[in-house]
Amino acid sequence: MRISTITNWAYGVTVLLTAVSGGAFILSARAAEEERIAVERHLALDDFGDALALAAEKRSDEARLYAMRGAARHLAAFRLDDSQAHARERIIAKLRAVGLAPAELAALAEAEASLDELDAIERAAVARVAAGDAAAAQRALFGPDHERAQTAVLEPVRRFRALIAARTGTMLADARARSDRLALIARAMLVLTAALFLAVLYFVLRRRVAVPLTRMTGIVTRLARQDYSVEVPQDRRRDEIGDMTNAIHIFRDNGLERDRLEAERAADRRAKDAILQMMYRLQATETQEELAAVVACFAPQTFPGLAGNLYVQNHTRTALTLASSWLDPLVALPGFPSADCWALRRGRPHASNRDHGDIACAHIGESGAPGLCVPLTAQGDTIGLLYFEERDGAEQIADASRLYLELMAENIGLALANLRLREQLTNLAIRDALTGLLNRRCLDEALGRQMRDTPTEGLACLMIDIDHFKRFNDVFGHEAGDMVMQHVAAIMLDAVGAAGQVYRFGGEEFTILLPQGDEAAALAMAERIRARVGAAPLSYRGRVLGHINISIGAAVLPQDGPATNLLARADSALLVAKAGGRNRVVAASSVRPEEGRGSAAA
């Protein structure tokens, strides 16, 4: 029940009890007044009875004294009493007018008759005394008749007084009982009113108002400080305090929801900032390794609850290779075929082991890890894969924004495509289109760096020329000549490996730089290349091209001179090798100046 209803009911009951108590007090006062009136009436009636008896005795005494003494004053007193007989009659008339009971009226009538008889005897006696017969008057006044008449007067008066006393006593007792009863009712109403007031104070003001308000004061204070972690007790009462508690619950729930939305917005801002920062870094990367490092750095900042891998597709688009990983995912294969991923097959994100509502990718295997594969595409081509995996107790993939996942994948794909395009453009700029070897400009840059950075360190240079190359073009055509150069370039690349770099110097001439190489190592490398080139004949379209021979000139820095003319010294040794019959290796250290000049002149 609501507090206002309880208060209204308590107010109404209090007013009613107060009214009943007041009415009881008024009735009690009226009963007391009736009691007083009954007492006064009793006294008045009793006085009337006394007055009748006294008047009769006084008249009789005056008559007897007159008969015995004959004094005139007694006669005057008797006659005075006689003049007062009318007053006695008025008293009797008043008594009758009061509304006496039949028995009281009978006693009063009997007393009146006896008074008349007694009055007649005394009048006769007084008349005899006046006639001079005092003895007869004395006999009459002191005789049995007078005694009988006087007794006859006193007996009904006594009975009348007794009846009056009994009746007024009953009236007095009734009035007193009614007054006591009404006073008791009034006191009981006052006690009930006080008890109701105390109950309202205790149950309503203290238990239903003061205690809940005191309890909620601390809660409201903490909520005002935006501490929404405070627990608000449930209050099922349907009153104002219950409404206030429900309002506090709603305020707390709204605060929690606002905090949740603020946290989501903050996480959203962090994700946006992380993606934006990652985009800036991706635009500045120059190698695929740098790109993989940037992704591994910013992916956990964007999605702190998701582990993952970055896979890059090979040039044949048949397999994926692991480029980077973050937050230790359960599935981190170094590589797998492209056909093992449904995201690459479908060209759109694919969730695996998420409520087992879809088929899992084969590269996840039997791990059962909930994962999401997002393909990396650029200009309609798939070039890689982003793999995200849920961590225990962290955010779920379903909670992560697909928009941000796809935005990240799109930017990584574009950056990876740009790197590959840049790599292709770089290769076009620094590599020979026919053989795939580094070109002349790249050779000049390498020599310039060598002279600038490490001018005193060892460097071996091999100048290589295909013997009688014009014959292949003239006899078998330029396509056969191109194949010969590609064949020689492949042998040189395989033979040199990581020991140095192979360049196409121009035409059918090639250059090999061997960092930190001495003359012995350079000559050994040159002999190995020459032997492998001429080991087996080459055929083109079913026609045998014959054996291919090469001539090689070798020069070593700083043994043979300064770095500025390293190529010239190796070229001079090459000319000596060609002049000496071709298909041989000549070291610049074994060439005399006049031989080099002579070979150049020839």
Side-chain angles (χ1 to χ4, degrees), residues 406-467:
E406 295 177 2
L407 180 62
M408 176 185 288
E410 180 180 354
N411 282 277
I412 295 174
L414 289 175
L416 188 58
N418 288 335
L419 280 179
R420 289 193 171 183
L421 181 59
R422 189 186 308 168
E423 182 182 355
Q424 293 175 0
L425 293 176
T426 302
N427 287 334
L428 291 176
I430 68 174
R431 292 190 180 274
D432 176 58
L434 178 61
T435 61
L437 301 177
L438 297 174
N439 56 22
R440 175 69 177 272
R441 184 177 65 180
C442 188
L443 173 61
D444 295 337
E445 291 177 355
L447 288 174
R449 285 195 304 270
Q450 183 70 25
M451 290 184 292
R452 182 178 64 252
D453 298 336
T454 57
T456 61
E457 292 186 2
L459 177 64
C461 177
L462 302 179
M463 290 295 293
I464 303 171
D465 183 76
I466 301 176
D467 296 335

Side-chain angles (χ1 to χ4, degrees), residues 551-595:
S551 299
I552 303 175
V556 179
L557 179 74
Q559 174 180 324
D560 298 329
T564 54
N565 59 359
L566 180 64
L567 283 178
R569 295 197 305 273
D571 190 56
S572 296
L574 173 60
L575 293 177
V576 171
K578 292 177 72 69
R582 294 184 171 85
N583 192 21
R584 64 187 62 203
V585 177
V586 176
S589 60
S590 63
V591 177
R592 295 189 299 272
E594 58 273 12
E595 289 181 345

